Amino acid sequence: MRYVRSKIQGSMLGALMGDCLAAPFEGDAGPLTASLYKNYFEGLRKEDVAKKLPYKRYTDDTAMAMAVAESLVERKGFDARDMAIRFTDEYFKSPRRGYGGSVVNVFYKLRRTRSENPFEPAALQFNGSGSYGNGAAMRAFPVALFFSRRDTDKDKLMQVAIDQGRITHANSTGYHGALLQCLAVSQAFLADPGEVVNIEEFCKAIGDKIRNVEAESEESLRESGGAAVFSAKMKRLEALAKQAKDRSKIDFDIVIRDLGNNISALESVPTAIFCYLMAQDKTLECCQGDSVIERSIQLAIALGGDTDTIATMAAAIAGAHVGVEDIPEVLLKHCEARDRVRDLADRIYAHVVGGEDLQASDV
Ligand code: AR6
Ligand code: MG
């Protein structure tokens, strides 16, 4: 496997950039007019950051993703209680980061019980049905990066993607969304940075895996009245992506209608995957510039709604494919906490390659 360090940094810093740069548009009704977000990015390129403190602030997406990454590297694997403690510490240290309306109750209960039963407060949310929000998915990408190397990692990746989600999101839509996001990051990680991934192959690879998991999950089937919710969305996503490619044009209204742009995992994770797949195609007139990561963020902004979270997820996938070289430094320098995130990326990298003889191309 080549470009490991670049891919890990690209995913972590790309996600940060998606969060910080898209946050000002959160809640805007999409689709946004192209000139609005194009002017915004042009403006960012001209602004002198030194005179414009504070930088663009990160939101709950990055706060929680950093907690996931720190817990994995400190504990050298998944430790639910440690991760729950880090989520609550991060929240109480800086609560005004735009957290979801209900997840805050989980943090209070976790703090009161010292996270003795880290999955219990989330399981009690919404009369026992658990949250279906995208909060478990938005922070999940470090799991895919941490378990990206060894063959034995594959099963762990799937289990940990779900279990880190269950600390706050006990509804299967919430934690299956986290799994789908991790599967997309893993699949992008396998791709050569210089090549465009094939839409059908990409969708089939992750669609098959999520279909198997949904088929095994009775709870998921019951809730959705017998339909496998994410696998059905993957089919629609694939059709929309192929259609946009054939026509060299994205129909934003239909994407918003069919894939969604809101705080539910079902209405945002497939949308983020769509943004990534479309951003690769530089013949599409939806966004500007050569950076795939930047284009994926522009698309997420253009769709409106939960822009910061969709941009975070799209850019985490794009970064795992194209690597850190794709990130325009002029945009990254606006983002708060970029040194902390870069350091975490390197600690994940050290874990991933730890104890193995590296070839020059791996670095
Ligand atoms: N029944 C009814 N409403 C629900 C349910 C349910 N089972 N699950 C979620 N909701 P929450 P998050 C609604 O608080 O997923 C921020 O912008 C309910 O209105 O678990 O961590 C983040 O950046 C609840 O308040 O938060 C994310 O993008 C809301 O969904 C986004 O919010 C959010 O669920 C979601 O964050
Ligand atoms: Mg959000």
Side-chain angles (χ1 to χ4, degrees):
M1 171 66 76
R2 303 173 66 201
Y3 312 112
V4 174
R5 187 177 189 192
S6 168
K7 281 170 171 279
I8 293 173
Q9 283 199 350
S11 183
M12 297 283 290
L13 290 167
L16 171 72
M17 203 165 86
D19 185 19
C20 293
L21 300 189
F25 298 89
E26 187 179 7
D28 285 2
L32 271 54
T33 53
S35 60
L36 181 74
Y37 65 90
K38 285 181 178 170
N39 288 343
Y40 171 68
F41 277 86
E42 274 162 25
L44 288 174
R45 288 193 147 76
K46 288 186 201 130
E47 273 173 31
D48 182 348
V49 172
K51 290 185 196 146
K52 286 244 172 203
L53 291 170
Y55 300 155
K56 293 258 178 285
R57 273 165 58 85
Y58 64 82
T59 76
D60 57 333
D61 301 52
T62 300
M64 297 197 89
M66 290 192 296
V68 168
E70 263 159 10
S71 182
L72 291 172
V73 293
E74 287 289 333
R75 303 299 300 152
K76 299 186 173 56
F78 180 62
D79 175 336
R81 183 165 183 232
D82 180 81
M83 201 175 277
I85 291 170
R86 287 175 199 275
F87 287 157
T88 46
D89 285 353
E90 202 68 47
Y91 172 73
F92 286 106
K93 200 169 67 190
S94 185
R96 294 166 68 95
R97 296 269 180 195
Y99 283 86
S102 311
V103 71
V104 169
N105 300 329
V106 175
F107 298 144
Y108 275 92
K109 284 186 192 158
L110 286 173
R111 186 168 72 162
R112 205 168 54 234
T113 57
R114 296 164 176 251
S115 298
E116 290 287 350
N117 297 305
F119 299 110
E120 194 176 273
L124 298 172
Q125 292 280 86
F126 299 102
N127 296 321
S129 66
S131 171
Y132 54 58
N134 56 21
M138 72 189 181
R139 63 176 189 240
F141 58 90
V143 174
L145 304 174
F146 188 82
F147 295 110
S148 60
R149 197 73 198 284
R150 299 171 184 85
D151 274 351
T152 49
D153 278 357
K154 284 181 191 145
D155 290 341
K156 270 195 212 148
L157 183 155
M158 296 187 58
Q159 196 56 52
V160 176
I162 289 173
D163 287 346
Q164 68 78 29
R166 286 173 50 237
I167 298 172
T168 49
H169 291 66
N171 188 290
S172 60
T173 300
Y175 60 73
H176 282 165
L179 173 61
L180 181 60
Q181 166 67 5
C182 279
L183 291 173
V185 173
S186 285
Q187 193 63 29
F189 203 91
L190 296 174
D192 190 310
E195 285 174 14
V196 172
V197 306
N198 176 286
I199 292 171
E200 262 168 66
E201 286 169 14
F202 190 89
C203 291
K204 180 168 171 30
I206 62 177
D208 284 351
K209 290 191 182 112
I210 200 77
R211 186 172 308 111
N212 288 340
V213 171
E214 287 189 321
E216 282 170 17
S217 164
E218 284 177 31
E219 185 199 357
S220 167
L221 287 175
R222 207 170 44 238
E223 278 162 10
S224 58
V229 289
F230 281 106
S231 20
K233 276 261 167 151
M234 284 304 300
K235 284 269 166 230
R236 189 69 193 122
L237 187 173
E238 184 181 338
L240 284 174
K242 285 197 314 216
Q243 198 179 68
K245 195 169 159 47
D246 290 347
R247 295 182 189 163
S248 293
K249 193 175 179 332
I250 297 173
D251 190 329
F252 285 87
D253 288 311
I254 290 181
V255 173
I256 294 167
R257 188 194 69 193
D258 289 3
L259 299 184
N261 65 356
N262 65 47
I263 51 107
S264 146
L266 189 61
E267 303 276 321
S268 55
V269 180
T271 316
I273 297 170
F274 177 85
C275 289
Y276 153 66
L277 287 171
M278 291 296 99
Q280 295 185 88
D281 185 347
K282 292 174 190 169
T283 63
L284 280 186
E285 267 189 34
C286 52
C287 25
Q288 59 186 359
D290 284 332
S291 159
V292 177
I293 298 173
E294 180 184 348
R295 291 165 63 86
S296 73
I297 296 168
Q298 290 174 0
L299 255 179
I301 292 174
L303 288 167
D306 195 1
T307 51
D308 53 340
T309 294
I310 296 173
T312 296
M313 296 191 290
I317 305 167
H321 175 181
V322 295
V324 74
E325 291 77 11
D326 179 84
I327 292 182
E329 196 58 35
V330 65
L331 296 180
L332 182 64
K333 72 179 182 181
H334 288 271
C335 303
E336 184 190 4
R338 62 196 184 286
D339 291 339
R340 184 175 165 199
V341 171
R342 201 190 302 270
D343 176 61
L344 274 170
D346 279 341
R347 292 176 71 195
I348 291 177
Y349 170 68
H351 165 82
V352 168
V353 298
E356 287 182 24
D357 287 335
L358 278 184
Q359 298 182 351
S361 61
D362 285 343
V363 184

